Amino acid sequence: MSSKLKPLLLLALAPLGGCGFTPLYGQSGGSTVAAKLDTIEVQNIPERTGQMLRLALETNLHAAGAPMEQLYSLAVSYGLGIANVGEQQDSSFTRQRFTGTAHWTLSPVGTPGKPLAQGNVTTENALNISDQQYFALQLETGTVEQQIADQLAAQITSQVAVYFKTHPNS
């Protein structure tokens, strides 16, 4: 960043201090959002791709490692759809579009029937399948599935963090 832009950037950000702007993971009333995220137990998600999402969520939520105290339970239903696109004259396809969708529910541990918050997230990714050998295609498919899991986990983590930021006494 050029030395001329730094003072302008600081000048532009100065009014945010007086408008109540606070970072999402900053302190709020003595407890932090990050500390609350660290008390969430992520329930099992079926299938291999569900386990990829679960591991990505645990990585995002538990910055300090496994939770010492589990106060909240996060249940996620996850689906991954694949559509072939780019049909050729010989009825083969040149591209696959992956769509990952997840519905999440945050509840206090022991009372799953009383959700505190819930939401939906979705993301898409794609890969080319023309002229690829089977092994290369399998590796690329696994990479796309991991990217989708990571993107959905980031969205879920942000939505849960916003809930804790807006409901500091939950």
Side-chain angles (χ1 to χ4, degrees), residues 10 40 42 53 78 87 89 122 135 143 164:
L10 290 174
I40 296 175
V42 182
L53 175 58
Y78 174 55
E87 185 173 1
Q89 289 180 350
T122 187
F135 183 70
T143 300
F164 283 129

Side-chain angles (χ1 to χ4, degrees), residues 42-53:
V42 182
Q43 293 184 3
N44 193 29
I45 307 170
E47 307 286 330
R48 183 181 66 81
T49 54
Q51 288 303 300
M52 294 167 90
L53 175 58

Side-chain angles (χ1 to χ4, degrees), residues 78-131:
Y78 174 55
L80 183 63
I82 302 172
N84 292 322
V85 293
E87 185 173 1
Q88 301 296 302
Q89 289 180 350
D90 65 354
S91 297
S92 65
F93 295 93
T94 61
R95 195 156 173 81
Q96 286 184 324
R97 181 179 303 132
F98 293 74
T99 304
T101 57
H103 175 77
W104 61 269
T105 304
L106 181 70
S107 306
V109 168
T111 55
K114 295 183 180 180
L116 298 171
Q118 55 188 345
N120 296 301
V121 293
T122 187
T123 191
E124 288 188 346
N125 206 331
L127 63 87
N128 294 325
I129 58 175
S130 63
D131 299 331

